[in-house]
Amino acid sequence: MKTIRGDYFQAVTRNITDTHFDGVPVRIYQPYDKPQSSLPAIAYFHGGGWVIWDIDFFHGPLNSFSTKIDQVVLVYVEYRKAPEHIFPSAVDDCTKATLYLIRHAKEYQVDTNRVAVMGDSAGGNLAAAVSQRLTLDTKYKDVPKLKLQGLIYPCLQAFDFNLPSYQQHGHHVAVPLTKNLMIWFWSLYLQGNDELVKYFATNNHTSSKAKKSSFADFVSHDHIPNKFKYGEYVPPKSDDFGEEGVYQSIKKTLLNPDFAPLMRKDLRGLPEAYILISEFDVLRDDGILYGHRLEEAGVKVTQKHYDTGVHGMMAQSGYSSTFNLFKMEVAVEARNDLVKFVQNHL
């Protein structure tokens, strides 16, 4: 265990400790002053397509975020990454670390009834998957239930890469996350190479029969409000195409909710969700579709959509860090909204 007094990117603000939770590297951000009572906690999973980034990249923003929300214990989880470690390594690590936090809550003065999971992009995928696991898997029935799940522009499905947001924002060089980059991440995460990219790019990774299945309804364009169907969007003209052999080879993982949380059939009983959605983002519709399905399942959802937001914008919300090139007003607004939500709901 290593205790870091302060922050090498900015002024000293928190007690920061590097340690391991059940073998998984974590960094813990805690208030300086010893609390008078137990505190809420957040297990945070970072973005980067399950492939890139690490604690040093996210340290500045997370330290600032933990300072803003104040009396909360924030645990950053350094999960294993593809292509060396493919699915389900990342979600297994995040599950182990979250369970350790809950089971050892007293050691960190954490209230087990006020634990949340949160993540951005691929980390949002992991937060949704861990939330589903700990809530719906019977082997965790004796574990205190999570109170919240925070999903920041999450990627939640790999079934349809022709959703309106992929069509509208997937090929613009000014958008941080392009379609080509996102499908490359998915391919590396699924099988450790880029061999699926050419099939993902044309939606040929799902068979004609699969495109008519109940799983296809989870990503139906009909569930996306018309106001988001503009510009370059073209509605699907046919579902009579796809590579059956490719689909059969990846079907088990593709439809696994641990891999793609939007694919879970029954979402009832999940914890309250906060879903942050950026307009200029290929993942916009993943968040919209998941929010729709959660609400249908009776889950309380706060969905915040930012008309001028872009993928990854939270890194440009005024945090002092080595990669914060400029401050975006919409990112500051989104950060402040998230901070208020955590303070009021956790």
Side-chain angles (χ1 to χ4, degrees):
M1 180 183 293
K2 179 176 69 173
T3 299
I4 305 170
R5 297 290 297 185
D7 179 349
Y8 44 83
F9 287 143
Q10 57 194 152
V12 174
T13 53
R14 310 290 272 176
N15 279 323
I16 304 169
T17 304
D18 286 343
T19 186
H20 290 77
F21 280 3
D22 197 11
V24 180
V26 300
R27 179 166 289 178
I28 308 169
Y29 299 81
Q30 295 171 284
Y32 263 133
D33 298 327
K34 187 174 182 179
Q36 299 300 310
S37 59
S38 297
L39 299 177
I42 298 172
Y44 192 93
F45 317 131
H46 72 83
W50 311 277
V51 176
I52 57 176
W53 310 140
D54 58 19
I55 183 56
D56 290 331
F57 187 88
F58 281 90
H59 179 67
L62 286 178
N63 188 36
S64 293
F65 177 62
S66 69
T67 302
K68 286 283 186 182
I69 54 178
D70 194 21
Q71 295 298 303
V72 174
V73 176
L74 180 67
V75 178
Y76 166 95
V77 179
E78 188 71 278
Y79 56 84
R80 289 170 293 170
K81 298 177 184 66
E84 294 80 10
H85 304 282
I86 63 173
F87 171 83
S89 296
V91 68
D92 285 347
D93 286 354
C94 292
T95 302
K96 286 169 62 177
T98 305
L99 282 171
Y100 187 96
L101 173 62
I102 294 171
R103 289 168 174 165
H104 295 259
K106 287 185 179 180
E107 298 175 28
Y108 301 96
Q109 291 189 273
V110 165
D111 181 350
T112 56
N113 294 313
R114 291 192 293 161
V115 175
V117 290
M118 184 179 294
D120 62 284
S121 195
N125 167 286
L126 296 171
V130 170
S131 180
Q132 290 184 8
R133 275 186 171 186
L134 297 188
T135 303
L136 304 175
D137 193 323
T138 55
K139 70 181 176 182
Y140 302 120
K141 63 185 172 118
D142 296 326
V143 176
K145 299 306 179 186
L146 295 170
K147 186 168 184 181
L148 293 174
Q149 52 178 321
L151 314 180
I152 303 170
Y153 28 75
C155 45
L156 300 167
Q157 61 85 32
F159 196 91
D160 185 359
F161 293 114
N162 201 38
L163 291 170
S165 56
Y166 272 97
Q167 294 186 41
Q168 294 156 342
H169 310 303
H171 306 287
H172 297 167
V173 294
V175 175
L177 181 66
T178 63
K179 175 178 177 177
N180 286 342
L181 182 57
M182 191 64 240
I183 62 178
W184 181 73
F185 283 146
W186 276 112
S187 184
L188 290 183
Y189 184 46
L190 195 156
Q191 61 180 32
N193 58 49
D194 62 0
E195 292 178 2
L196 290 171
V197 167
K198 63 182 178 181
Y199 300 105
F200 286 165
T202 55
N203 263 3
N204 273 300
H205 63 294
T206 53
S207 65
S208 175
K209 184 177 180 180
K211 290 180 174 70
K212 300 178 179 70
S213 69
S214 60
F215 292 102
D217 184 62
F218 296 159
V219 294
S220 171
H221 298 204
D222 293 339
H223 300 316
I224 299 170
N226 287 332
K227 67 179 181 178
F228 295 112
K229 300 172 182 176
Y230 61 81
E232 299 174 36
Y233 172 65
V234 177
K237 295 180 180 179
S238 172
D239 52 19
D240 290 323
F241 67 97
E243 296 285 345
E244 180 69 32
V246 174
Y247 178 64
Q248 290 301 324
S249 71
I250 65 173
K251 175 181 176 181
K252 184 177 180 180
T253 301
L254 192 71
L255 303 181
N256 186 339
D258 285 350
F259 178 76
L262 187 57
M263 295 294 103
R264 185 175 290 276
K265 291 185 176 181
D266 189 352
L267 300 174
R268 290 176 296 178
L270 289 174
E272 182 177 359
Y274 185 93
I275 306 177
L276 189 158
I277 299 169
S278 292
E279 177 58 32
F280 298 98
D281 185 358
V282 296
L283 301 179
R284 180 197 68 196
D285 296 342
D286 282 27
I288 291 173
L289 290 167
Y290 197 54
H292 167 75
R293 291 203 56 224
L294 286 173
E295 288 180 332
E296 281 195 329
V299 177
K300 187 175 181 180
V301 177
T302 298
Q303 194 170 92
K304 299 288 288 187
H305 173 266
Y306 296 91
D307 291 335
T308 58
V310 298
H311 189 84
M313 68 179 180
M314 294 295 277
Q316 309 300 337
S317 57
Y319 296 121
S320 174
S321 75
T322 54
F323 63 97
N324 186 10
L325 303 178
F326 57 90
K327 182 167 68 175
M328 299 175 61
E329 289 186 7
V330 65
V332 175
E333 178 188 357
R335 177 201 64 188
N336 292 340
D337 288 343
L338 179 59
V339 167
K340 288 178 184 177
F341 181 84
V342 171
Q343 291 173 333
N344 292 334
H345 293 256
L346 186 60

